[in-house]
Amino acid sequence: MATIGIFDSGAGGLSVFREIYRLLPGQDYVYFSDNACCPYGEKSRDFIVGRARTITDFLLAQGADIIVVACNTATAAAINVLRAEYSASDSGPAGHVMEITGGRRGHVNFIGMEPAVKPAAALTRTGVVGVLATAGTLGGQKYIRTRDAYAGSVRVVEHIGEGFVELVENGCMSGPEAERVVRASLQPLLDAGADVIVLGCTHYPFLSDVISRIAGPSVSIINPAPAVAHHLIEVMESDGLLSTDTSDVHPSWQDAGSMPDSLHDGNSVALHFLMPHRNILLCSSGAPDAIARLFPVVMQSI
Ligand code: DGL
C-alpha cells in the first residue's frame, strides 16, 4: 500500500484528491492544506518554494511515497526546485530524503498540475480559449511555455479568478455572492468569444456549477484534475508503487460529525479521518474549517 501525499494552499486540492481517490480508493492519503498562508496567488516565488519544501518534508515524515502538488500556483513556482532537490542523482539517493524517511525512500516523484491549454485548443470552435488562474500561475514560465507551445492559431485570453479562492475557502460556492464574484472574472473571457474555459486553479472546480450557469451550455469547462490523476497512476506504476491489487476495496465514508480523532501539533492542526479500509489524514497549518467542510462533500460526490 502506497501513501500519496497531496498539498495545496487550502482546500482546493481536494478537487484533485477526488479524482485520484476515484481511481485509487485502496491507497493511503495525507492531504496538507496550507491555510496559514492561503492564498498563494499573489505571494512571491521564493515564499512558495519555501512552503513547498517545508510541506514536502512534513508529508515525507508522515509516510508519503509520492507527492502531488495539487496547486497550479505552487506547481508554477516550485515543482522544478522540488524535483531537483528530492530526486536521486548519479551519485546515489538524495541524502535529505533518506534522512527524513528513515531510509525508506531514496528519491521522491512529484506530480504537478498541467495548464490544460492543449486539450482546450483542440476543443474550441470559436478559436478562442479562456484561462482562469491565479496571478502566480499566469505569470509563471510553465504556463507561458505550455500556452506558447500548444495554442497554435487559437487565441488564449486569460483572467485571474479574483476572489474565487476566498469563496471556496469560506464555503460560498453558490448563491448571489458567488455569482457576482465569478461573473466579474468570467465575463471578459466570454465577451472575447471563448467557448472553452480552462480552470487553472484547483479551487475553481468547486465553483464549476456557477461558472457553467453563467457561461451557458455552449461553453465547455476543462478541469485538468482527471488527467493529473491518470498521470499519477502511470508514474506510480513505473515507480513500483502500485504493486498491491486494491481493486476489491470498497470504502465507505463516515460523516464529518463522527471524526474520531484529532491531533494538535504546534500551529498545525491535523484532523485524522479513519475509514474502514484505510487511513486518510487531513492536515492544516491554520484553521481547518474549509477542509473539514469540503471533505465530506467531496467524498459524497465520488
Ligand atoms: N489552489 C491553488 C492553485 O491551484 C492556489 C490558489 C491560491 O492559493 O491562490 O493555484
Side-chain angles (χ1 to χ4, degrees), residues 34 36-40 43-53 77:
D34 196 10
C37 303
C38 185
Y40 280 175
K43 300 237 170 25
S44 74
R45 185 174 173 277
D46 284 353
F47 178 86
I48 296 170
V49 167
R51 292 306 293 171
R53 283 194 186 106

Side-chain angles (χ1 to χ4, degrees), residues 32-33 61 65 69 104 160 174:
F32 189 92
S33 175
D65 296 299
V69 184
R104 186 173 48 82
I160 295 170
S174 60

